[in-house]
Structures are given as C-alpha cells and as structure tokens.
Amino acid sequence: TEYDVISCDITSCDGSNWTNVFTINCGTESGIVVGDCVCNGLGLVGKIESTGNGWSKVVSIIDEESSISFKLARRTSQLGICHGDKDATITGYMMDSESNVAEGDLLLTSGLGVYPEGIQIGNVKKVTYNESTLLKEIEVEPSANFKELDKVAIIKIK
C-alpha cells in the first residue's frame, strides 16, 4: 500500500495529560480527516478524532476509548484486541486461548479497523491466563514514548 505522510507539531494538550488527547497544527487544509492514523518514528500514537482548518485533535492509543486489532509479528495468524486503560497503559487479549504469545513479542496493527496493517504498537510485557474468560490477557509497553511526544506523522492511504 502506498501512503502520504504529513508531519505535524503537537501544539497543546487537552486537560492535564498529553497522553490521552492532544492538538496538532495540521488540519483539513492538509487533507486530514477523522480516523486518519497518527504515528511517530517509533510506532502507533493514535487517530484523528476531529479536525478543522489548521488543527486536529488526536486521541492516543493509551486513552480508555481506544481499541486496536493486532497481530503478533512472529506469527501473524495470531490475532488479538488491545485498548488503553485508566492508568494510561495498554492491555488486551488474544482471540485464541491457545495462543503462544510470550513476553517480548512485538505487536503490529492487523489492518482490521481504522489502522493500516503493519504499524508497530509495542511489546508484550506480561501474559496471564484468565480462568473466568478463558483468554490469554496481555499488558503492552507502547513503542511510542508518550511522555516525549512533540512531533507526529499522519498516514494517508493513497
């Protein structure tokens, strides 16, 4: 797939935490639309939530409302869902309870949903089996460092 990339600066945060929702200095004049994918040099940051002339709001992947379909980099047939939580971290689960997901595994976007396929999300830092749900649950260390974000890139699929 071919992409156009638009580089933008973060101009402000919404509330007390840069990591959940923030504003960038590019908008409709640059062709940005709601749902566009936002990354930095390290990995997935979030998606465009709203946009106008000269600005856009980004909701990050560590926001409680975020949800991402992923695949394991070393075994792309193994899929799961991860989401932000109230502690500004990422948790999730594997679709197959027999999955051999392990600490250190790299997660990539699956291409199902709003995010293009193959963007780095982060690495698994903990795996547990939930007896109640019969699912393997994971905690993820995001690839992007949300405490040091100042520039992002918007990925536009051609």
Side-chain angles (χ1 to χ4, degrees), residues 3-158:
Y3 303 100
D4 282 332
V5 177
I6 303 166
S7 179
C8 306
D9 294 317
I10 296 173
T11 57
S12 66
C13 66
D14 294 1
S16 62
N17 192 346
W18 280 88
T19 59
N20 289 353
V21 179
F22 54 88
T23 304
I24 58 175
N25 66 347
C26 301
T28 53
E29 81 291 346
S30 299
I32 294 173
V33 297
V34 172
D36 280 349
C37 179
V38 181
C39 299
N40 72 358
L42 300 173
L44 185 63
V45 171
K47 66 182 176 182
I48 300 295
E49 179 181 62
S50 59
T51 188
N53 190 24
W55 64 272
S56 295
K57 291 206 184 283
V58 177
V59 62
S60 76
I61 62 173
I62 58 176
D63 185 80
E64 288 182 66
E65 301 298 316
S66 290
S67 183
I68 308 159
S69 171
F70 69 85
K71 61 184 177 182
L72 297 182
R74 69 178 169 86
R75 181 169 262 176
T76 58
S77 63
Q78 293 192 15
L79 303 172
I81 303 290
C82 62
H83 49 83
D85 68 18
K86 66 183 181 334
D87 298 320
T89 59
I90 300 173
T91 58
Y93 59 91
M94 300 303 297
M95 299 293 231
D96 182 0
S97 63
E98 301 295 318
S99 170
N100 66 353
V101 62
E103 289 181 22
D105 274 347
L106 176 63
L107 304 183
L108 303 173
T109 53
S110 69
L112 304 172
V114 298
Y115 299 109
E117 183 178 4
I119 299 172
Q120 190 167 312
I121 300 167
N123 293 86
V124 175
K125 64 180 182 179
K126 184 177 179 184
V127 179
T128 55
Y129 183 74
N130 185 324
E131 294 285 337
S132 300
T133 62
L134 305 176
L135 294 172
K136 285 192 177 173
E137 296 178 345
I138 59 171
E139 290 180 25
V140 180
E141 180 69 34
S143 295
N145 183 347
F146 288 91
K147 294 180 182 172
E148 295 183 10
L149 284 178
D150 59 351
K151 286 191 166 292
V152 293
I154 311 304
I155 297 178
K156 304 279 301 166
I157 299 174
K158 288 185 178 181

